[in-house]
Amino acid sequence: MLASKRLAVLQCLDWSAVVAAKSSNSPCAVVHGQRVISRTPAAMQYGVQVGMRRRHAQALCPDIEIVAHEPNRDRSAFDTVIRTVNELVPLIEVSEPGLIVFAVRGPSRYMGGDEPMALKIIDALKTSIAANSLVGVGVADSRLAANIAAHASAVASNRSGLFAPYLVEPDKTSDWLAPQSVRVLSEFANINRETISLLERLGLNTLHDVCALGESVLAGRFGELGVELHRLSRGDEQHQLVVVAPPPEHLCVEKFDEPVCDQQVVVNSVQRMASAFTEYFSIHGTVCVRIIIAFESEDGKRSERLWYRPQGLTASAIVESAKWQLEAWPVAAGLARVQLIADEVRADTARQLKLWGGTTQTDETATQAIGRLSELLGSSAVQIAKWQGGRDLLDSYELVSATHVQTIDSANSDKQLTVAKWRGALPTPSPSVVYNEPVQVQINDQHGKLLSVSARHELSASPVVVIIGATSYKVISWAGPWPVEERWWDTARGRRLVRLQLVCEKITVEDTPQISAMLAILEHSEWTVAAIYG
Amino acid sequence: MQLLAPERLVVADDVCKLLPDSGLVRGRIIRCSGDAGLSLALSLCSRATQQGSWLGVVGVAHLGVLAAVEHGVSLERMVLVQPPNTSREWSVTVSAVIDGFDLLVVAVPARLSANDARRVQTRLQSRRAVMIIVDNMALSRSTSRFSSEREPDPFVADVILDTKTKSWSGIDNGSGYLQHRDVSIRVSGRRVARQREHLVTRRF
């Protein structure tokens, strides 16, 4: 039995937006695809929320600064914070910019207790963080609880103007977690939002309800995921950790005969070690979720950092992390030694890919290819589609990494087509080409005026021509407008739009007409083409 | 001893007559071009995925998943891959997909070299997989070319199915919804003895 590790989480709220904004007081939102992923407190005042579409945010706050998502910017800006905290705490874990996790036992004892430690760290950070950014520290026995506490601390310090760390009493974590809403599981523990909404519909609203149901009932209903939900709700770590003999030294340590200054050489050797490292654990049916990467320079300086990934660290994830650690560690002398140390290991549940359609030879070969492709390209470049339900063409299926699928019930997929159609869903046949970034177009009537739609969902006139860029298409026939209102009760995520099907014709160079059918959408007074029947 | 997989993959009845061998012959390349190309490609793949073959969709950025479901593609055996754009890396990626999957639907990048194409084609033949090439349906305000004009690509296709939508039915001045279309499909290619043209009514 491993001793419980009391953790501290330092969170800088809305880091992406705070770093991107021109000044600390202006409203700013960072956008990825069409959705807001981070926004400054000033933007929040206008009602802008994470997950909202860009156009909606602009409608709420016309002066808002919209910045494209750039992970490198977030990372390099966070490096000063990392360095400051690292001076006080020798071993820290940074999995994403804005969040630092570390074990409290050592630092707390050294600095005279949990609270003095937290205050000391925040004090040290005063110079590296912008004046108005929200920072919080949470300390608890489980990662989930510490995350919730850190978030609460950050939000509270904004209101009072004073910083106050949130400390959950030792051994009281499960009691403290009990009244929390199940939503914290999707906000702080990366559980799928659909699963959480299902829990709520089943009448489970707090973590206490989830615990009370019992682990075996949850496992029966959700499989491996159910076990994780129960573990998180009672204050344990998400995964059951296993103890595996550490890999032989030649697999995880590389000593350079000559000190190396070229970063690429180091990265190549990390790549070799990472592949062998993950292979070793995979052979034992396990996967490493937390790893320490240690660099040692010729003159004896060491850089040690923890890296954590609940789904399991792949070789490419390890290489990414090593690169980030190297970039943030400016060292004049060359590198003499690189070491990978496994910190937390769990059973490899990615084996569940085998549940798909049985374990035929074809399935095995495909599964191996998926693994290899994920290593080559990164797991986000290899995806499968999961049924989610919804009216929007883009929302009914969610694309998820092929290697991180929890449970796929092959019987369910046959039911997909017979699932009761969402009201307001587009009639079949569905378009084969769907754009996730719709293109703005102009749709005009016979007088050249832009088409509009009245409050009673009537078109101002018949569409006659569609203009995309410099090309005009003549409208041959059309259907609609079909109004769609999504989540009318939710001011943040609500949408109102109309859809129009159009069949258009373009005269080509060969003088033969080219017929195309498309789906156009009018939202926030702008026409866009969302899909093509291609 | 491993039994050789059957020489061809089955296709749905409605597209069966389009193919010269009434099925997808392993090791071959089929090109589906024209404005109904992607939809035709999905039709060709559906039956095979239902019977256990895995489908790798490589570089087709805007695939409508609902449409794939409606064509009958088994989603649990369809994997979407975003490959790098450079010639060499693209061919390495596609080769890795060929190693594990029976069926591929790919969009060919603009600057694929003839050498890399040949490597992929050789790999396809030795692994006895089937590759269907479709056009990239990108749309932007500068290149409003979404019903694609045929782009030359370095692959030598065995069968070419060139589609051309003649008309859509089901809608009229605001009422109804898109239901069927009449498509002319011209079959050609080096495995096709005599070029022919089919006129089909498709629900997609």
Side-chain angles (χ1 to χ4, degrees):
Chain A
M1 241 287 271
L2 301 158
S4 79
K5 284 207 283 204
R6 197 161 161 75
L7 290 173
V9 170
L10 176 120
Q11 183 174 25
C12 302
L13 284 187
D14 310 314
W15 181 254
S16 230
V18 165
V19 165
K22 281 202 211 92
S23 85
S24 52
N25 277 323
S26 59
C28 170
V30 173
V31 161
H32 185 56
Q34 288 285 70
R35 298 217 183 245
V36 173
I37 56 166
S38 179
R39 82 270 172 284
T40 56
M44 187 175 68
Q45 307 272 359
Y46 286 88
V48 177
Q49 293 199 23
V50 174
M52 195 178 262
R53 282 181 192 244
R54 175 170 59 94
R55 293 192 203 282
H56 192 170
Q58 282 171 314
L60 287 170
C61 171
D63 291 326
I64 198 169
E65 196 191 330
I66 299 284
V67 185
H69 177 51
E70 218 181 298
N72 284 326
R73 177 185 59 215
D74 299 344
R75 271 192 230 163
S76 30
F78 200 54
D79 285 337
T80 31
V81 177
I82 296 176
R83 230 170 296 153
T84 314
V85 176
N86 222 350
E87 278 164 24
L88 295 167
V89 181
L91 191 58
I92 57 173
E93 177 203 295
V94 184
S95 299
E96 56 180 86
L99 203 66
I100 298 184
V101 181
F102 55 91
V104 295
R105 210 154 55 125
S108 177
R109 223 183 281 160
Y110 185 71
M111 292 188 238
D114 290 345
E115 186 158 354
M117 172 196 76
L119 290 167
K120 192 154 186 207
I121 292 176
I122 293 297
D123 205 51
L125 285 173
K126 273 206 173 55
T127 44
S128 17
I129 308 187
N132 286 347
S133 30
L134 304 173
V135 185
V137 174
V139 182
D141 291 337
S142 88
R143 188 181 279 264
L144 173 65
N147 266 309
I148 301 172
H151 191 262
S153 153
V155 172
S157 52
N158 175 46
R159 266 187 240 126
S160 65
L162 279 173
F163 166 73
Y166 200 129
L167 310 167
V168 179
E169 272 179 70
D171 298 324
K172 288 278 175 16
T173 301
S174 54
D175 294 330
W176 184 80
L177 280 174
Q180 304 277 352
S181 151
V182 289
R183 304 232 179 131
V184 301
L185 291 172
S186 68
E187 266 192 69
F188 299 104
N190 282 324
I191 302 287
N192 192 347
R193 250 198 281 150
E194 281 307 310
T195 312
I196 302 304
S197 88
L198 179 57
L199 287 177
E200 289 181 315
R201 276 178 278 147
L202 290 171
L204 306 167
N205 290 308
T206 64
L207 295 186
H208 174 259
D209 295 336
V210 176
C211 272
L213 206 55
E215 191 172 326
S216 48
V217 175
L218 283 163
R221 176 66 179 80
F222 291 100
E224 186 78 29
L225 176 61
V227 176
E228 285 177 26
L229 289 171
H230 196 263
R231 293 181 63 91
L232 285 168
S233 307
R234 67 178 190 241
D236 276 344
E237 290 309 324
Q238 190 168 354
H239 305 290
Q240 175 77 48
L241 298 179
V242 298
V243 180
V244 176
E249 200 174 293
H250 69 269
L251 281 184
C252 44
V253 179
E254 175 123 3
K255 292 197 207 37
F256 298 109
D257 303 320
E258 303 252 339
V260 176
C261 291
D262 186 357
Q263 199 190 56
Q264 191 56 45
V265 174
V266 181
V267 169
N268 288 342
S269 96
V270 171
Q271 173 77 60
R272 277 194 305 274
M273 285 202 295
S275 306
F277 194 83
T278 47
E279 182 82 27
Y280 173 86
F281 285 105
S282 166
I283 290 172
H284 286 74
T286 58
V287 65
C288 184
V289 291
R290 208 170 185 224
I291 193 180
I292 299 176
I293 301 182
F295 293 116
E296 197 175 296
S297 73
E298 190 199 1
D299 50 1
K301 291 208 193 76
R302 275 181 79 93
S303 156
E304 273 186 1
R305 188 108 70 90
L306 273 165
W307 299 91
Y308 172 72
R309 205 149 166 269
Q311 314 98 314
L313 290 157
T314 57
S316 46
I318 296 176
V319 172
E320 273 286 321
S321 315
K323 274 200 219 160
W324 184 4
Q325 191 173 333
L326 267 180
E327 274 162 30
W329 190 48
V331 60
L335 274 178
R337 194 172 184 269
V338 185
Q339 185 174 13
L340 301 177
I341 306 164
D343 188 63
E344 280 177 17
V345 175
R346 68 164 174 89
D348 187 7
T349 53
R351 296 279 150 174
Q352 284 178 3
L353 278 173
K354 281 196 190 166
L355 283 176
W356 293 353
T359 52
T360 64
Q361 182 62 47
T362 330
D363 291 345
E364 281 284 343
T365 326
T367 309
Q368 280 177 28
I370 290 172
R372 218 172 309 128
L373 283 162
S374 302
E375 301 263 316
L376 255 181
L377 310 171
S379 57
S380 54
V382 184
Q383 298 168 313
I384 61 147
K386 247 175 74 176
W387 166 253
Q388 199 175 243
R391 280 188 286 210
D392 197 341
L393 288 174
L394 292 176
D395 283 345
S396 49
Y397 281 91
E398 174 190 23
L399 293 180
V400 295
S401 286
T403 48
H404 297 324
V405 175
Q406 293 266 9
T407 39
I408 286 256
D409 190 346
S410 54
N412 266 341
S413 59
D414 296 321
K415 291 193 207 128
Q416 272 157 20
L417 277 181
T418 58
V419 163
K421 285 247 296 258
W422 243 251
R423 273 197 312 140
L426 202 58
T428 55
S430 300
S432 51
V433 182
V434 176
Y435 298 110
N436 46 21
E437 299 213 10
V439 177
Q440 213 180 346
V441 302
Q442 258 186 297
I443 306 187
N444 294 343
D445 64 16
Q446 63 201 97
H447 304 292
K449 252 184 71 173
L450 196 62
L451 223 59
S452 62
V453 172
S454 73
R456 274 189 296 185
H457 305 126
E458 289 156 345
L459 280 180
S460 57
S462 298
V464 163
V465 67
V466 175
I467 304 174
I468 306 178
T471 323
S472 298
Y473 298 83
K474 189 174 100 170
V475 176
I476 300 178
S477 55
W478 53 281
W482 300 313
V484 176
E485 259 177 80
E486 278 177 19
R487 294 195 183 94
W488 53 266
W489 61 89
D490 186 346
T491 45
R493 295 192 297 170
R495 286 182 77 191
R496 299 187 68 213
L497 49 100
V498 295
R499 290 188 183 136
L500 209 58
Q501 273 181 341
L502 297 149
V503 177
C504 302
E505 180 181 84
K506 179 174 88 155
I507 309 293
T508 61
V509 166
E510 294 97 42
D511 217 15
T512 48
Q514 210 170 60
I515 313 268
S516 352
M518 61 182 91
L519 183 73
I521 287 184
L522 179 68
E523 189 178 8
H524 299 303
S525 311
E526 226 172 45
W527 285 103
T528 56
V529 168
I532 306 277
Y533 292 82
Chain B
M1 189 190 78
Q2 207 187 25
L3 287 170
L4 270 185
E7 208 197 286
R8 66 194 80 153
L9 298 171
V10 287
V11 293
D13 296 325
D14 57 347
V15 283
C16 200
K17 61 176 191 285
L18 297 171
L19 295 169
D21 302 282
S22 308
L24 298 168
V25 179
R26 287 179 177 273
R28 295 222 179 137
I29 295 182
I30 299 181
R31 205 184 190 297
C32 289
S33 59
D35 46 44
L38 186 51
S39 151
L40 183 60
L42 290 174
S43 295
L44 290 173
C45 295
S46 63
R47 186 71 76 84
T49 63
Q50 288 164 15
Q51 299 200 344
S53 290
W54 284 71
L55 166 66
V57 180
V58 185
V60 180
H62 310 287
L63 182 70
V65 179
L66 255 184
V69 172
E70 286 166 16
H71 277 88
V73 173
S74 239
L75 277 199
E76 68 230 36
R77 281 184 284 278
M78 177 176 88
V79 178
L80 302 160
V81 181
Q82 316 307 332
N85 252 328
T86 62
S87 184
R88 193 71 180 87
E89 290 179 304
W90 188 89
S91 66
V92 167
T93 305
V94 176
S95 300
V97 179
I98 289 172
D99 283 347
F101 290 60
D102 278 340
L103 204 44
L104 287 87
V105 169
V106 309
V108 178
R111 277 177 287 277
L112 187 67
S113 75
N115 276 333
D116 288 326
R118 208 171 347 108
R119 271 194 209 107
V120 169
Q121 195 147 6
T122 316
R123 188 68 152 256
L124 192 75
Q125 283 160 354
S126 77
R127 293 294 192 158
R128 305 178 72 242
V130 178
M131 184 159 88
I132 303 179
I133 300 181
V134 294
D135 295 317
N136 195 345
M137 301 293 250
L139 171 69
S140 73
R141 285 156 86 172
S142 50
T143 67
S144 61
R145 186 181 49 76
F146 54 70
S147 43
S148 51
E149 285 103 43
R150 270 199 56 186
E151 260 181 25
D153 70 63
F155 285 104
V156 184
D158 296 294
V159 180
I160 301 173
L161 301 167
D162 190 24
T163 63
K164 198 169 171 66
T165 305
K166 292 289 190 207
S167 64
W168 274 96
S169 61
I171 65 177
D172 181 37
N173 278 334
S175 57
Y177 60 92
L178 288 171
Q179 290 175 50
H180 307 277
R181 60 170 149 178
D182 290 329
V183 186
S184 114
I185 303 179
R186 216 175 6 189
V187 185
S188 62
R190 64 178 180 178
R191 302 284 173 184
V192 176
R194 196 169 45 96
Q195 272 199 31
R196 52 171 78 131
E197 184 163 335
H198 297 265
L199 230 101
V200 291
T201 304
R202 286 171 61 79
R203 232 201 105 230
F204 307 100

